[in-house]
Amino acid sequence: SVIVKQTGLYIPDDTLRYGSRISLVNVGTKGILDPAGGALGTTQTIDLNNRQKFRLIRSGASALRSHICYGDIVSLKTPDDKYVVAEKDGAANANRDGIGSWEKWEVIRSGDSKMRSFVSRDVVLTLRSIAHDRYLVANNNAAVDANATKIEDKSRWRVASFKPVNAVAPELRTSACGGDACGRHSSRRA
């Protein structure tokens, strides 16, 4: 007889989850994706008010319900509750109130990746418009469009930062009681 045991699926801690907030840095121009005023562009300046952090929303087929995998369909939501859109004329904006086919993007592995299936921080990916079959691309003039027909450096984006939904802070992972809650913090004296 054969005994089969279910071992489960190992999902690393730094894997992106739906609802995660990310910043995207263009590989070609080194600019940070920025939804300033509804116009999508890139900038070299980090916004300390988190304007450049997009929430990943599941908006179509996905391999898992909780974690993002290559090939999944996502939408990018700005802190102003607007969605990134690929316009019919090839422009890209961040000014839509809801998700339609023009606000959906396929996540494609297009560079360095720690894992074969899962998307995590510091990976390089490309976003393909579902409605128009074009890639999100940064231009030298700081504009961002959705009109690239092939994947090259300007259509590659590095996931620069994110905070997983329900993440446990690193300092709380070392102690069952949560850091200095037990009086073990290095600055505390007995």
Side-chain angles (χ1 to χ4, degrees):
S1 71
V2 176
I3 298 174
V4 177
K5 292 184 179 180
Q6 185 176 2
T7 59
L9 179 63
Y10 171 71
I11 301 174
D13 287 340
D14 63 350
T15 301
L16 292 177
R17 298 179 66 115
Y18 286 104
S20 295
R21 292 188 185 274
I22 63 167
S23 294
L24 295 171
V25 177
N26 188 265
V27 172
T29 67
K30 309 295 187 234
I32 303 165
L33 190 63
D34 192 339
L40 203 56
T42 59
T43 182
Q44 301 296 321
T45 307
I46 296 173
D47 183 303
L48 298 177
N49 294 319
N50 294 320
R51 182 183 72 219
Q52 298 153 341
K53 293 200 176 180
F54 297 84
R55 184 176 299 275
L56 292 165
I57 307 296
R58 181 176 47 196
S59 56
S62 60
L64 299 173
R65 296 180 82 188
S66 58
H67 293 80
I68 300 170
C69 297
Y70 295 107
D72 284 1
I73 307 302
V74 301
S75 294
L76 301 173
K77 189 175 188 178
T78 70
D80 297 329
D81 292 328
K82 300 294 182 182
Y83 291 93
V84 173
V85 57
E87 305 286 2
K88 187 176 183 178
D89 65 0
N93 293 300
N95 61 5
R96 295 297 166 85
D97 293 323
I99 299 173
S101 63
W102 291 12
E103 294 78 29
K104 294 180 181 182
W105 304 86
E106 178 185 7
V107 179
I108 299 170
R109 180 176 25 182
S110 61
D112 297 337
S113 178
K114 298 176 195 174
M115 297 167 268
R116 214 168 93 187
S117 299
F118 299 112
V119 179
S120 64
R121 67 176 157 224
D122 297 324
V123 301
V124 175
L125 54 81
T126 295
L127 296 170
R128 183 184 68 83
S129 165
I130 297 302
H132 308 298
D133 195 25
R134 297 286 188 262
Y135 303 107
L136 190 69
V137 60
N139 299 311
N140 289 333
N141 63 357
V144 173
D145 291 313
N147 61 3
T149 57
K150 60 182 178 177
I151 297 174
E152 49 193 5
D153 280 351
K154 290 183 181 179
S155 60
R156 289 183 174 104
W157 302 87
R158 181 170 298 282
V159 177
S161 65
F162 81 101
K163 182 176 181 183
V165 177
N166 300 324
V168 177
E171 64 272 12
L172 297 180
R173 292 182 188 172
T174 59
S175 170
C177 61
D180 71 340
C182 294
R184 296 185 205 157
H185 194 270
S186 61
S187 66
R188 219 173 245 215
R189 304 202 187 258

